[in-house]
Amino acid sequence: MIIKSFKYPEIDDTTRNYAGVFPIINPSGVWTQFLTPNEEQRVNNIEPSDCYIQAQQSCIAILLEYIYGIKDSDFLADFNALLSGGTPTGGDPIKGALSIKKDGLISQTMRDRTGIKTWQEYHSWKGMDKEKCLLEGKKFANQYEMSFRIVVEKDIPLKTKYELLKEELKRCPPPISFYAWVERNGKYYKPDGVRDTHLVDALCLKVSDNNEITIKDTYPPFIKVLEANSDFEFAMGWSIRRRSNDEILNLLQKNYIIILLDYIKILLNKIYKIGSKVMTFNGKQK
């Protein structure tokens, strides 16, 4: 079965933020000691097509363990897939990243997946308390400053891609795209002439000296090795920093001011519309 849940992202000057500007936190570039629990992407035998979210969430979860000792964070991909316009054939990882930054992340415990039988039900609020989920996500977004960056684009020369990937591994376990899955001799390869269809579950674990990439996937076997010098179209990275209490307070105050101003704007528009109707009615009366 070929997995089709990754769409090459729309990249422009507002989202193009290349690697190399963030500090090195893991000089070895090896993340095998900080794996998230194995979890298959399918839910109730439904293909949710949300690898473009799961990969990024796993990257962030590993960073939380590596930096802050918070182990095995299990985030709900359904939440961000719904808020980033996911489709039955996948989604744009940049749109997914923007949702993660804006809407935050929530625990899988916030959804009861019992009875979900279709993709449409999966990509809905069924089994979730919408208001509680949105509030919990916002709490996470306020608590952590999260930044994403593009590491590799499809038209970059292969040699340069591997140089960039090796450098990014010192900063995070970068999500990378690949054609999923074709195997020979125990390793996975990309046939000629095909496009990438899957964003690996957040974990490019190690690039060995002969350019074999070890990754963690959302389909068994969960640990896979790509053939040497395999081409891949896209890679991205994440950084995360826990805000201080003062920073969180200041951010909350700014958010409340923005909400208040939006409310005042809506109220003034309503008053203007009511006033216009009254003036029109009085004009007709005369």
Side-chain angles (χ1 to χ4, degrees):
M1 181 185 72
I2 301 302
I3 301 161
K4 297 181 180 180
S5 52
F6 164 82
K7 294 184 177 182
Y8 191 82
E10 297 177 12
I11 302 172
D12 55 31
D13 290 339
T14 62
T15 55
R16 183 175 281 109
N17 181 14
Y18 284 110
V21 296
F22 290 85
I24 291 172
I25 62 172
N26 182 0
S28 72
V30 178
W31 298 91
T32 50
Q33 293 179 303
F34 306 95
L35 300 181
T36 50
N38 293 333
E39 182 180 1
E40 186 163 345
Q41 185 168 303
R42 292 186 196 88
V43 176
N44 299 341
N45 291 319
I46 301 165
E47 173 49 64
S49 302
D50 60 2
C51 70
Y52 75 102
I53 297 293
Q54 292 202 30
Q56 300 185 65
Q57 289 181 340
S58 291
C59 177
I60 292 169
I62 287 177
L63 289 175
L64 285 172
E65 179 174 347
Y66 185 82
I67 300 171
Y68 299 110
I70 302 171
K71 293 188 176 182
D72 298 340
S73 298
D74 198 5
F75 298 120
L76 185 69
D78 324 17
F79 176 69
N80 298 102
L82 176 60
L83 295 172
S84 62
T87 74
T89 55
D92 179 332
I94 299 300
K95 292 179 180 178
L98 292 172
S99 170
I100 289 170
K101 279 179 63 68
K102 174 180 176 288
D103 303 311
L105 297 169
I106 65 174
S107 169
Q108 282 203 24
T109 58
M110 297 199 71
R111 184 175 203 180
D112 180 5
R113 289 169 165 172
T114 305
I116 294 177
K117 298 178 180 179
T118 66
W119 182 91
Q120 287 75 16
E121 289 180 336
Y122 181 87
H123 283 261
S124 72
W125 292 104
K126 182 177 180 178
M128 290 188 277
D129 185 318
K130 180 178 178 180
E131 298 306 318
K132 285 185 179 179
C133 288
L134 291 172
L135 180 61
E136 191 67 20
K138 189 60 68 176
K139 284 171 60 179
F140 188 95
N142 287 336
Q143 185 178 6
Y144 291 98
E145 179 184 12
M146 297 178 286
S147 301
F148 71 90
R149 55 208 173 259
I150 295 168
V151 179
V152 165
E153 292 186 51
K154 61 184 175 63
D155 295 325
I156 294 175
L158 185 61
K159 181 180 179 181
T160 305
K161 288 181 180 180
Y162 274 89
E163 291 171 352
L164 291 169
L165 186 62
K166 288 177 182 178
E167 191 62 28
E168 185 62 21
L169 278 163
K170 300 174 185 177
R171 294 163 169 83
C172 75
I176 68 170
S177 66
F178 205 67
Y179 183 78
W181 290 110
V182 183
E183 180 263 341
R184 62 186 173 196
N185 301 321
K187 297 175 183 178
Y188 294 82
Y189 73 98
K190 182 177 179 178
D192 293 337
V194 301
R195 297 292 304 273
D196 290 354
T197 61
H198 189 38
L199 197 65
V200 177
D201 193 17
L203 309 176
C204 176
L205 303 176
K206 181 181 178 182
V207 180
S208 57
D209 291 340
N210 60 347
N211 279 344
E212 286 184 351
I213 306 173
T214 303
I215 57 93
K216 184 174 184 289
D217 190 21
T218 46
Y219 291 92
F222 294 105
I223 302 299
K224 293 181 172 71
V225 177
L226 308 186
E227 284 190 352
N229 294 305
S230 292
D231 198 2
F232 56 97
E233 295 183 4
F234 179 76
M236 67 189 303
W238 278 91
S239 296
I240 188 166
R241 182 183 70 85
R242 186 156 52 193
R243 291 187 172 101
S244 67
N245 290 335
D246 287 342
E247 286 178 306
I248 294 172
L249 179 60
N250 289 335
L251 188 62
L252 289 173
Q253 289 172 342
K254 289 179 181 177
N255 289 340
Y256 286 140
I257 292 172
I258 292 171
I259 292 170
L260 180 60
L261 290 174
D262 286 342
Y263 178 76
I264 292 172
K265 183 178 178 181
I266 293 170
L267 187 61
L268 289 174
N269 284 334
K270 287 183 178 180
I271 293 172
Y272 174 77
K273 289 178 180 179
I274 292 171
S276 297
K277 289 180 179 179
V278 170
M279 290 177 66
T280 301
F281 176 78
N282 289 338
K284 288 180 179 180
Q285 289 288 89
K286 294 178 181 179

